[in-house]
Amino acid sequence: MDLLKAFTQEQLKSEVPELNIGDTVKIHNKIKEGTRERIQMFEGTIIAKHGGGISETFTVRRVSYGVGVEKTFPVHSPNVEKVDIIRRGKIRRAKLYYLRDRVGKSAKVKERI
């Protein structure tokens, strides 16, 4: 068991940004296509956080061409290059799944001042 803990500690990122539910973020995600690598950005609102430690993930939602798209990113993944926080959200829920049913202005999250 001690060996497993040592391995997971080694895999953790040293600097993790302060991510909260309701924040609008821009994720720089590393994509491998054959032999080439590129960075693709995904911008949206964090609607959920799961787990802890090495298996901690967060789910980001955005509406692209009228279709809602959700992606789940591991916090400590080497493929997640950088996470930029664009704005902080003021929320009263732990999970923002109700945003799935909303469109337009009602789908916006208030900004924390």
Side-chain angles (χ1 to χ4, degrees), residues 19-25 27 42-50 57-63 68-73 87 89 91-102 106-109:
L19 299 173
N20 293 314
I21 287 96
D23 293 351
T24 302
V25 293
I27 294 113
F42 189 85
E43 185 175 340
T45 305
I46 298 176
I47 62 167
K49 282 173 66 175
H50 299 98
T57 61
F58 61 99
T59 304
V60 181
R61 176 179 175 81
R62 78 167 179 200
V63 178
V69 179
E70 290 183 9
K71 281 190 177 183
T72 302
F73 296 98
R87 55 191 290 247
I91 53 137
R92 299 172 72 177
R93 301 274 179 274
K95 308 274 193 254
L96 301 182
Y97 294 142
Y98 67 90
L99 291 179
R100 293 172 175 166
D101 302 327
R102 307 248 175 128
S106 65
K108 286 171 69 175
V109 176

Side-chain angles (χ1 to χ4, degrees), residues 29-48:
N29 196 20
K30 207 183 293 180
I31 306 281
K32 267 188 184 170
E33 294 172 333
T35 59
R36 298 186 306 145
E37 273 189 7
R38 65 183 176 88
I39 293 181
Q40 186 178 48
M41 284 180 280
F42 189 85
E43 185 175 340
T45 305
I46 298 176
I47 62 167

